[in-house]
Amino acid sequence: MEEVLEEIIPSEQEKRELEQTTEFVKNRVNEIAKDYEISVEPRLVGSSSRGTWISGDRDIDVFILLPKTLEEEEFRQKGLKIAREVAQEADTYQEDYAEHPYITARFGSFLVDLVPAYDVEDASEVTSAVDRTPLHDRYVSKRLDDELKKCIRLLKKFMKSNNVYGAELKVKGFSGYLTELLVLEYGKKGQSGIESFKDVLRASGNWKKGQVIDLEDHGVKQKFDAPLIVIDPIDPNRNVAAALEMEQWAKFIGASMAYLENSKKSFFVENREKEYSSEELVKTIEERKTRLIGLEFNLPDLVDDTLYPQLYKTENWLKKLLRQEEFDLIRSGVYRDNEKALVLFEVWNDLPRVEKHIGPPVTSKKHSKSFIEKYKNQEVFCGPYIEKDRWVVERKREYVHPENLIEQKTEDIKQSGIGKNLKRVDKKVLSGPSLLKEKYLSFIGDFLTKKAVWLD
Amino acid sequence: MEEVLEEIIPSEQEKRELEQTTEFVKNRVNEIAKDYEISVEPRLVGSSSRGTWISGDRDIDVFILLPKTLEEEEFRQKGLKIAREVAQEADTYQEDYAEHPYITARFGSFLVDLVPAYDVEDASEVTSAVDRTPLHDRYVSKRLDDELKKCIRLLKKFMKSNNVYGAELKVKGFSGYLTELLVLEYGKKGQSGIESFKDVLRASGNWKKGQVIDLEDHGVKQKFDAPLIVIDPIDPNRNVAAALEMEQWAKFIGASMAYLENSKKSFFVENREKEYSSEELVKTIEERKTRLIGLEFNLPDLVDDTLYPQLYKTENWLKKLLRQEEFDLIRSGVYRDNEKALVLFEVWNDLPRVEKHIGPPVTSKKHSKSFIEKYKNQEVFCGPYIEKDRWVVERKREYVHPENLIEQKTEDIKQSGIGKNLKRVDKKVLSGPSLLKEKYLSFIGDFLTKKAVWLD
């Protein structure tokens, strides 16, 4: 554990580099603001401000705090103006958009988010999620000592290694702030960070669905439907864990329990990329006797937080269709690289050509009559006949191969349930060898052989 | 309809033959009883006594009525003694057993059942089902005129043609007595038999599940769980339709409705045997893309009423097993000829080799731990991993081919759910070409292409 701590606590050198970059950016904000005679305060926020970032992280959040008195329009314009001008001096930069526009600029090895926000005193003045960040900073920082900071770093590393860290829509896991609140709830000031870390794991190993954490004893005023409910200390109407998906919640619990049983180092290893050859995967699929089908899109120009919900939407729509047509879906998943996005399905065999279609009960005169009328001269395998108390026919099934279903249902873009921006890009249905491209091997290999990471 | 009536009303010649055979048997009973100084009354009962039998039927029931004062033991002995002695004069005979032993003897073209029964005055004295028959005779006969007899004959023929006539365990359909009660309920004395027949069909076309018919206004004293409840006029605690299975009930309703829509003669055609070639069936199965598997037994020496429940038991046990192992069962059925009995299944394709096995929720510490322990070193396709909030593994499926399941589960005769007497005879699992024996073609062809008979 000491070993892990050594890896994740930033070195003095690393701290200095971060401070220097931050100072440079803050100074530029001040200078530019002065030129335009705008009253602003540049502020470092988030984990680098709280002293809870992990060695190797290169993300710095600098907020450009503007007075609450500015109108929305003016606030946007002025904030973004300053951010853009600062970014001119970066190596590269791009504008992104969450609730408000902001800029991500690369200074050397650091990625600096330049985010305009209102300078607010408490939650009642908050107009968007970013305004809340400085309040979170203040709340957390006041309550931490060095050991609790170690504890937070351990917990973040543990979550990253188990692929449950991050509230972004790709992960739907634990946000940094959520992680910190867990440590404030279950850790103890004055005891070693390692002990506090174990306290957090022990506590979460005992969570039940709907567990409530309420640090400021606000009382739960709203009904939250979530596996974990963490009342925001600065805003009792907010569940900090709202973005946390049940599966990620469960994966954290599973890992916590297992770690307490056997504290091996593999719980803290990130990015265990395995290599698979296409021959190996062909064999695996052969052995499973199932079918893999992928829907591949040319990647549209979107940030992950916009892309992933559209991929998930497409995935869910096709899952529903496959099940409707009686295919047995084993699993599905999504993937992206720099060129393509892939929605992947594993389905049990093809279906038989014959499909049993249950009709009305014989006692329902009208419906029985029209059912018989409809099918008596139609080409069916069998029937109409009576089973139990209902009319039945066995007719020709429309979709025997899952590829055909996906091919046809995605053809008419307007009708389809494909994510908005994905509708406009080229797509292709892949199966068999066409799917086993070099660049997909690692994703497909993990997809087929997945296992809790710490079991390896 | 007149045409049908001509076919089913026995000719004078036929009536005479039946009367002569009956007289001969009754006389023999009297003579033999006199020799032994036993007081008996031989009585013709059932449809031939009520004048409701259909031309071509060759079954005669002669009851040997013994005094109610006899003890059970003496009753059995004496009754059977007389029956046996009468049967000595038959061409062939055999002893069968329902609630009591009785004898079936062939005299020329007639099959005469010689049944010892107590001579009782009302239902309170009844000791077994056969004792009731003379009471049913009396009840029905008193209420019939010639037109109602025609109506009953039409209804029986209609039911036979639709394979729903007969209360025996092979059919589980409408008994003769039940048919007669339906006519007494819905037909009208004094109107033409044909009109009464239509009245019966019209009424049954309006049945709902649990329909009650109570000719003597006994009131329903017991709770009967059956699609049709016909209170026995001579015994209010008995549902005359108790043996009627829902599917047979529904097939009768379906046929009734259809007949009233379109009164074609095909509703009265029995035994529509179709011919199928094995090439034809191979093609049909190919097209359906399904699997047929049969379990074939050497026929044990049993009457149908004992054999069929055992075949059904075997069928139901294997249906349950197939479904447990996740095979998609399309249909099943049983068949017998003079040498073999066959239990047949049609199943969707083989299953994939991989089987998803859902484990405990992660929040359940003890079970999660032992689940992981169990599977982490076992050879599995995938996992343990977490899906939603549960542990999952994908392991090797035990049964991929339905034949193997049936083969293995029927191997250990003692453990198996095979019908009692079927356990002791040789059996074989058949599939593919080995199933398409000449003698099974007609059964398998109908099994695969079944259709309400009147739709052809």
Side-chain angles (χ1 to χ4, degrees):
Chain A
M1 198 84 116
E2 294 295 342
E3 217 179 303
V4 175
L5 270 175
E6 234 163 77
E7 273 175 36
I8 62 179
I9 295 179
S11 64
E12 288 308 315
Q13 164 75 11
E14 206 176 341
K15 280 186 194 161
R16 220 170 14 251
E17 281 174 23
L18 185 134
E19 268 163 30
Q20 282 164 358
T21 306
T22 307
E23 278 317 300
F24 173 79
V25 171
K26 280 165 72 174
N27 286 335
R28 285 301 297 138
V29 171
N30 276 327
E31 287 160 21
I32 291 162
K34 204 181 275 167
D35 288 352
Y36 291 118
E37 298 182 333
I38 307 167
S39 148
V40 303
E41 188 204 333
R43 190 186 295 165
L44 177 68
V45 298
S47 61
S48 32
S49 140
R50 299 171 203 171
T52 58
W53 92 94
I54 295 182
S55 171
D57 278 2
R58 286 291 176 270
D59 293 315
I60 299 177
D61 291 313
V62 174
F63 275 30
I64 302 170
L65 297 177
L66 294 140
K68 192 71 189 88
T69 48
L70 286 184
E71 289 297 316
E72 171 87 14
E73 186 54 32
E74 214 186 341
F75 158 81
R76 273 202 193 207
Q77 214 185 35
K78 292 192 169 166
L80 211 56
K81 199 172 182 175
I82 298 169
R84 274 195 199 120
E85 208 151 322
V86 176
Q88 299 294 335
E89 293 173 44
D91 300 324
T92 61
Y93 78 95
Q94 70 179 68
E95 284 193 39
D96 281 332
Y97 193 95
E99 273 181 84
H100 289 302
Y102 67 100
I103 282 172
T104 305
R106 177 171 302 282
F107 289 90
S109 66
F110 290 97
L111 258 190
V112 184
D113 280 1
L114 291 154
V115 185
Y118 277 119
D119 188 7
V120 298
E121 269 308 303
D122 60 63
S124 67
E125 299 174 298
V126 162
T127 62
S128 86
V130 294
D131 300 345
R132 237 184 251 113
T133 307
L135 304 178
H136 291 164
D137 267 2
R138 195 170 59 194
Y139 182 86
V140 174
S141 297
K142 266 201 274 187
R143 286 163 180 78
L144 294 180
D145 61 9
D146 275 356
E147 289 300 320
L148 284 181
K149 284 180 192 173
K150 278 187 198 165
C151 172
I152 289 172
R153 284 180 163 126
L154 280 171
L155 191 58
K156 282 184 180 176
K157 182 71 178 176
F158 182 82
M159 285 173 166
K160 279 187 176 195
S161 307
N162 284 289
N163 302 319
V164 299
Y165 184 73
E168 61 268 29
L169 295 171
K170 178 182 171 178
V171 182
K172 293 186 181 161
F174 293 78
S175 69
Y177 180 49
L178 175 54
T179 311
E180 291 163 347
L181 293 183
L182 293 181
V183 170
L184 291 183
E185 172 79 9
Y186 298 120
K188 278 190 212 74
K189 244 180 168 166
Q191 87 174 351
S192 87
I194 292 174
E195 273 316 304
S196 284
F197 172 71
K198 285 185 187 158
D199 285 344
V200 175
L201 299 197
R202 260 189 289 273
S204 58
N206 288 321
W207 284 346
K208 299 290 164 215
K209 253 181 241 175
Q211 176 75 37
V212 176
I213 294 171
D214 185 6
L215 285 138
E216 293 298 312
D217 288 325
H218 285 303
V220 186
K221 306 235 163 43
Q222 247 180 284
K223 234 185 131 45
F224 295 104
D225 180 23
L228 177 64
I229 295 143
V230 179
I231 305 299
D232 192 343
I234 70 147
D235 184 351
N237 293 313
R238 218 184 133 244
N239 174 15
V240 180
L244 177 64
E245 210 169 50
M246 203 207 306
E247 196 161 295
Q248 303 297 70
W249 167 84
K251 274 159 77 179
F252 176 61
I253 295 175
S256 298
M257 286 182 185
Y259 180 80
L260 295 170
E261 282 287 327
N262 177 9
S263 323
K264 48 183 183 171
K265 218 199 142 200
S266 71
F267 282 93
F268 294 96
V269 180
E270 270 181 81
N271 302 326
R272 277 158 275 218
E273 276 236 335
K274 277 190 227 153
E275 298 223 334
Y276 303 89
S277 70
S278 67
E279 293 74 31
E280 210 179 325
L281 291 186
V282 166
K283 208 173 138 245
T284 304
I285 297 168
E286 194 99 321
E287 276 170 2
R288 294 167 74 86
K289 287 179 135 217
T290 58
R291 299 183 81 92
L292 272 189
I293 309 112
L295 180 61
E296 185 189 61
F297 295 95
N298 279 343
L299 203 65
D301 185 20
L302 295 174
V303 294
D304 275 0
D305 258 12
T306 311
L307 174 67
Y308 274 90
Q310 295 193 18
L311 288 173
Y312 292 141
K313 183 182 178 238
T314 310
E315 181 192 9
N316 285 328
W317 169 66
L318 284 170
K319 270 164 79 170
K320 221 178 113 195
L321 278 180
L322 283 163
R323 291 201 170 116
Q324 244 169 35
E325 295 295 327
E326 299 190 299
F327 287 100
D328 282 303
L329 183 68
I330 299 187
R331 60 177 62 198
S332 62
V334 305
Y335 177 73
R336 62 158 287 184
D337 63 10
N338 296 324
E339 295 175 318
K340 307 279 184 184
L342 185 69
V343 186
L344 188 63
F345 302 93
E346 190 186 22
V347 175
W348 279 10
N349 320 35
D350 290 343
L351 292 179
R353 180 58 75 187
V354 56
E355 172 190 55
K356 200 161 177 172
H357 175 57
I358 311 284
V362 283
T363 45
S364 161
K365 259 190 207 176
K366 206 181 114 207
H367 296 116
S368 293
K369 202 180 147 189
S370 59
F371 186 84
I372 295 164
E373 279 308 312
K374 180 171 176 191
Y375 286 107
K376 80 173 173 189
N377 295 320
Q378 203 167 304
E379 217 195 303
V380 290
F381 279 108
C382 214
Y385 65 87
I386 290 168
E387 192 170 277
K388 288 251 173 76
D389 67 331
R390 305 188 81 115
W391 284 103
V392 175
V393 286
E394 291 168 21
R395 58 187 183 188
K396 207 166 166 176
R397 181 185 297 281
E398 198 172 354
Y399 298 104
V400 168
H401 309 292
E403 306 83 301
N404 293 359
L405 174 72
I406 294 177
E407 190 94 53
Q408 284 203 32
K409 294 290 182 181
T410 54
E411 210 157 76
D412 182 357
I413 283 295
K414 271 179 207 147
Q415 297 292 316
S416 83
I418 292 177
K420 194 174 142 206
N421 300 83
L422 293 173
K423 283 186 178 180
R424 302 200 201 106
V425 296
D426 282 346
K427 59 177 173 23
K428 214 192 272 177
V429 176
L430 305 176
S431 69
S434 69
L435 195 53
L436 295 178
K437 295 179 187 176
E438 190 62 32
K439 60 184 196 163
Y440 292 148
L441 294 184
S442 169
F443 165 63
I444 294 177
D446 286 347
F447 177 89
L448 289 179
T449 58
K450 68 178 175 175
K451 192 171 176 181
V453 286
W454 40 267
L455 277 170
D456 273 333
Chain B
M1 200 80 118
E2 294 295 343
E3 217 177 303
V4 175
L5 271 176
E6 234 162 80
E7 275 176 35
I8 62 181
I9 296 179
S11 64
E12 288 308 315
Q13 163 76 9
E14 207 176 338
K15 282 186 195 162
R16 220 170 13 251
E17 281 172 22
L18 185 133
E19 269 163 31
Q20 282 164 359
T21 306
T22 308
E23 278 316 299
F24 174 79
V25 171
K26 281 165 69 173
N27 285 336
R28 285 302 295 138
V29 171
N30 277 326
E31 287 161 19
I32 292 161
K34 204 179 278 166
D35 287 352
Y36 289 117
E37 295 182 335
I38 307 167
S39 149
V40 302
E41 188 205 333
R43 192 188 296 167
L44 177 68
V45 298
S47 60
S48 34
S49 138
R50 300 169 203 171
T52 57
W53 91 94
I54 294 182
S55 171
D57 279 1
R58 284 291 175 272
D59 292 316
I60 300 176
D61 291 314
V62 175
F63 276 29
I64 302 170
L65 297 178
L66 294 139
K68 194 71 189 84
T69 48
L70 286 184
E71 288 298 315
E72 172 87 16
E73 187 52 35
E74 212 186 343
F75 158 80
R76 274 204 193 205
Q77 214 186 35
K78 292 191 169 167
L80 209 57
K81 196 173 184 174
I82 297 169
R84 274 194 200 120
E85 206 150 325
V86 175
Q88 300 292 335
E89 293 173 42
D91 300 324
T92 61
Y93 78 96
Q94 68 180 71
E95 280 191 43
D96 282 329
Y97 194 93
E99 276 181 83
H100 289 303
Y102 67 100
I103 283 173
T104 305
R106 176 170 303 282
F107 289 89
S109 64
F110 291 97
L111 259 189
V112 183
D113 279 1
L114 290 154
V115 185
Y118 277 119
D119 189 7
V120 299
E121 267 310 301
D122 60 65
S124 67
E125 299 175 295
V126 163
T127 62
S128 86
V130 294
D131 297 347
R132 237 184 250 113
T133 308
L135 303 177
H136 291 163
D137 267 3
R138 192 170 62 193
Y139 183 84
V140 173
S141 298
K142 265 201 272 186
R143 286 163 179 78
L144 295 180
D145 62 10
D146 275 355
E147 289 300 319
L148 284 180
K149 286 182 189 172
K150 278 187 196 166
C151 171
I152 290 171
R153 285 179 162 128
L154 280 171
L155 189 58
K156 284 185 178 175
K157 181 73 176 175
F158 181 82
M159 288 174 165
K160 280 188 172 193
S161 308
N162 284 289
N163 303 319
V164 298
Y165 184 74
E168 60 269 29
L169 294 171
K170 176 182 172 179
V171 182
K172 293 182 181 166
F174 293 78
S175 68
Y177 181 49
L178 175 54
T179 312
E180 290 163 346
L181 292 183
L182 293 181
V183 171
L184 290 183
E185 172 78 8
Y186 298 119
K188 277 188 212 75
K189 242 178 169 168
Q191 88 176 349
S192 88
I194 292 175
E195 272 317 304
S196 284
F197 172 70
K198 286 184 185 160
D199 286 343
V200 175
L201 298 197
R202 258 188 290 272
S204 58
N206 288 321
W207 283 347
K208 299 291 165 215
K209 254 180 240 176
Q211 176 75 36
V212 176
I213 295 171
D214 185 5
L215 285 138
E216 292 299 310
D217 288 325
H218 283 304
V220 187
K221 306 237 163 46
Q222 245 181 285
K223 235 186 130 44
F224 294 103
D225 180 25
L228 178 64
I229 296 144
V230 180
I231 305 300
D232 191 343
I234 70 146
D235 184 353
N237 293 313
R238 218 185 135 245
N239 175 15
V240 180
L244 177 64
E245 209 169 52
M246 203 205 310
E247 196 160 295
Q248 303 297 71
W249 168 82
K251 274 158 78 179
F252 176 61
I253 295 175
S256 296
M257 286 182 185
Y259 179 81
L260 293 170
E261 281 287 328
N262 177 8
S263 325
K264 49 185 185 171
K265 216 200 146 202
S266 70
F267 282 92
F268 294 96
V269 180
E270 270 182 82
N271 303 325
R272 276 159 276 219
E273 276 235 338
K274 275 190 229 154
E275 298 223 336
Y276 303 89
S277 71
S278 69
E279 293 75 32
E280 209 178 326
L281 290 185
V282 167
K283 206 171 140 244
T284 303
I285 296 167
E286 192 99 323
E287 276 170 1
R288 294 169 74 89
K289 287 177 133 219
T290 57
R291 298 183 80 92
L292 273 190
I293 309 112
L295 179 60
E296 185 189 62
F297 296 94
N298 280 343
L299 203 65
D301 184 21
L302 296 173
V303 294
D304 276 359
D305 258 12
T306 311
L307 173 66
Y308 273 90
Q310 296 193 18
L311 288 173
Y312 292 141
K313 183 183 179 239
T314 310
E315 180 192 11
N316 286 328
W317 168 67
L318 285 170
K319 271 165 78 171
K320 221 178 113 196
L321 277 181
L322 283 163
R323 291 200 168 117
Q324 245 169 33
E325 295 294 326
E326 299 192 299
F327 287 100
D328 282 305
L329 183 68
I330 299 188
R331 62 177 62 199
S332 63
V334 304
Y335 178 73
R336 62 158 286 185
D337 64 9
N338 295 324
E339 294 174 318
K340 307 278 184 183
L342 186 69
V343 185
L344 189 63
F345 301 93
E346 190 187 22
V347 175
W348 279 11
N349 320 35
D350 289 342
L351 292 178
R353 179 60 73 186
V354 56
E355 172 190 56
K356 202 162 178 172
H357 174 57
I358 311 285
V362 282
T363 45
S364 160
K365 260 191 207 173
K366 205 182 114 206
H367 295 117
S368 293
K369 202 179 144 189
S370 59
F371 186 83
I372 295 163
E373 280 308 314
K374 179 170 178 190
Y375 286 108
K376 80 174 173 190
N377 295 320
Q378 203 168 306
E379 217 195 304
V380 291
F381 280 108
C382 214
Y385 65 87
I386 289 168
E387 193 171 276
K388 287 250 173 77
D389 67 332
R390 306 189 80 116
W391 283 104
V392 176
V393 287
E394 292 169 20
R395 57 187 183 188
K396 206 163 167 179
R397 181 185 296 282
E398 198 172 351
Y399 298 104
V400 167
H401 309 292
E403 303 83 299
N404 292 359
L405 174 71
I406 294 177
E407 190 95 51
Q408 283 202 32
K409 294 288 182 181
T410 53
E411 210 156 76
D412 182 356
I413 281 298
K414 271 179 208 147
Q415 297 291 316
S416 81
I418 293 177
K420 193 175 145 205
N421 300 83
L422 294 172
K423 286 187 178 181
R424 303 200 200 107
V425 295
D426 281 346
K427 60 177 174 19
K428 213 193 276 177
V429 176
L430 306 176
S431 67
S434 69
L435 195 53
L436 294 179
K437 296 180 186 174
E438 191 62 32
K439 60 184 196 162
Y440 292 146
L441 295 182
S442 167
F443 165 62
I444 294 177
D446 285 346
F447 177 87
L448 289 178
T449 57
K450 67 177 173 173
K451 195 173 178 181
V453 286
W454 39 267
L455 277 169
D456 272 332

